[in-house]
Amino acid sequence: MRATVMYRAGDVRVEDVPDARIVDPADAVVRVTRACICGSDLWPYASMEPSDSGESMGHEAICVVEDIGSQVSMIKRGDVVVMPFAHSDGTCAYCHEGLPTACVHVGFFGNNGLNGAQAEALRIPYADGTLYPLPVGEDDALMPSLLTLSDVMGTGHHAAVVSKVAPGKRAAVVGDGAVGLCAVIAAKRLGAEQIIIMGRHPDRLALAREYGATDVVSERGEEAVERVRELTGGEGVHSVLECVGHGASMETAIGIARPGGAVGRVGVPQHTEIPGSFPAFFGNITVGGGPAPVRAYLDELLPDILEGRIEPGRVFDRTVGLDGVPDGYRAMADRESIKVLVTP
Ligand SMILES: [Zn+2]
Ligand SMILES: [Zn+2]
């Protein structure tokens, strides 16, 4: 089968690899019908050290179940399923508490030897706990939006939940990538009255406005903090949805939070320390977040997509086949494309 492998920064190849197969009785093997390239794939694309074996890439997909192990009882062959970016057993205490990304059997696709989803097929550990069957056919018109449930829509929602977005409150979204845009949808969905999007790409900001952003701030650093204060009667916002992961964006996030407010961070941190400790302390600002438990959010988010209330699939502005994946990375890294959909 064909799959995407990254060998070093800027070197992404689509190659023949061994076929996906059942290894453990709790596994399924799925055929990938839709996958995509993530903003987080751009970190190794920019900085990965050379590797002889390479890294299998991709962690977001819609799939059709082709085969199941002897212990799989809920997932059936032929099911059309969402593959969350992490696998989880569905049975441990953390899974029951709605935090499957802390599962005692968690693993992240496209990492640590687990195969990636920018491929024709892949093996899914703990298939019953991980996969989520969809009530639609594999070529349903809603596929782009359904695909976002495997990561970016659930991740934007997580930022909104952790930052305590609530009706009538003020929110700001730091970052205008696909996660930031989905975070705008999530803030609107949870009733925020004012939603400030912070970014500087005109096409993305236009989509953010369509998704419900009420204000745009394109300044950075201290100027951005000043501008948000102007827009919020000098107070700052109750909820900050941090969707970038840089030290500078985190510092801005804390700088624009209202005393007593919260920052929900979902951008994979590219720094080892959280900046802004002093203002966060004296403002009693809660800082939380982490890998989004997207599997646990599916019950809540799926009906909104099926019934047309939200359209997160509009973040995809380019579609490629598997052979187009290397150029898809380039297009996203060059900011030519917001997010690339892959049809293997
Ligand atoms: Zn992702
Ligand atoms: Zn678990």
Side-chain angles (χ1 to χ4, degrees), residues 6-337:
M6 187 182 291
Y7 285 92
R8 60 185 296 163
D11 183 2
V12 175
R13 306 178 207 168
V14 177
E15 323 188 301
D16 287 320
V17 301
D19 283 346
R21 61 184 184 86
I22 303 285
V23 175
D24 181 275
D27 289 351
V29 167
V30 297
R31 171 171 55 87
V32 179
T33 59
R34 302 283 191 291
C36 47
I37 303 171
C38 186
S40 65
D41 296 333
L42 298 180
W43 297 122
Y45 189 71
S47 62
M48 181 179 165
E49 296 293 325
S51 154
D52 289 337
S53 55
E55 277 282 352
S56 180
M57 298 301 296
H59 55 262
E60 303 165 45
I62 302 273
C63 316
V64 175
V65 177
E66 297 263 282
D67 198 8
I68 53 173
S70 59
Q71 277 175 14
V72 176
S73 60
M74 267 115 80
I75 296 295
K76 302 182 300 297
R77 286 189 185 85
D79 281 352
V80 176
V81 294
V82 176
M83 184 203 90
F85 64 80
H87 68 67
S88 52
D89 57 20
T91 56
C92 76
Y94 297 109
C95 285
H96 284 303
E97 287 167 21
L99 196 57
T101 39
C103 177
V104 297
H105 292 122
V106 75
F108 296 88
F109 291 105
N111 260 310
N112 306 321
L114 256 188
N115 47 1
Q118 291 156 10
E120 289 176 329
L122 78 164
R123 174 175 85 90
I124 309 288
Y126 302 97
D128 278 339
T130 303
L131 299 175
Y132 190 101
L134 291 171
V136 296
E138 70 173 90
D139 287 317
D140 194 276
L142 292 172
M143 275 305 154
S145 285
L146 294 168
L147 175 59
T148 67
L149 292 173
S150 69
D151 186 352
V152 290
M153 186 61 227
T155 295
H157 178 66
H158 190 52
V161 170
V162 172
S163 66
K164 304 175 187 168
V165 171
K169 305 284 184 173
R170 303 177 194 272
V173 174
V174 182
D176 60 4
V179 172
L181 293 168
C182 288
V184 172
I185 296 176
K188 166 103 175 159
R189 217 184 137 265
L190 294 178
E193 187 174 288
Q194 182 179 25
I195 303 172
I196 301 168
I197 176 81
M198 306 181 71
R200 31 178 62 184
H201 301 89
D203 52 334
R204 301 169 187 215
L205 297 171
L207 184 53
R209 283 209 185 262
E210 289 186 49
Y211 278 162
T214 54
D215 300 278
V216 170
V217 169
S218 293
E219 289 85 350
R220 283 188 176 163
E222 264 312 301
E223 285 176 27
V225 173
E226 279 307 307
R227 185 82 190 99
V228 171
R229 291 197 179 279
E230 280 169 31
L231 290 168
T232 55
E235 290 187 353
V237 295
H238 300 89
S239 301
V240 186
L241 295 73
E242 201 288 307
C243 304
V244 179
H246 279 145
S249 58
M250 195 61 206
E251 195 160 353
T252 300
I254 288 169
I256 62 176
R258 185 180 184 276
V263 177
R265 58 188 192 129
V266 293
V268 182
Q270 302 302 306
H271 47 88
T272 52
E273 288 169 15
I274 300 179
S277 167
F278 208 67
F281 179 84
F282 282 97
N284 268 284
I285 293 159
T286 303
V287 177
V294 300
R295 177 67 175 72
Y297 291 143
L298 276 156
D299 284 340
E300 179 178 346
L301 297 174
L302 178 61
D304 277 22
I305 290 176
L306 293 177
E307 290 156 29
R309 286 186 290 276
I310 59 173
E311 276 188 290
R314 293 176 66 199
V315 298
F316 294 108
D317 54 0
R318 184 174 298 204
T319 300
V320 300
L322 212 45
D323 289 333
V325 167
D327 192 58
Y329 274 82
R330 183 206 55 75
M332 279 177 63
D334 291 349
R335 299 295 186 264
E336 250 174 47
S337 171

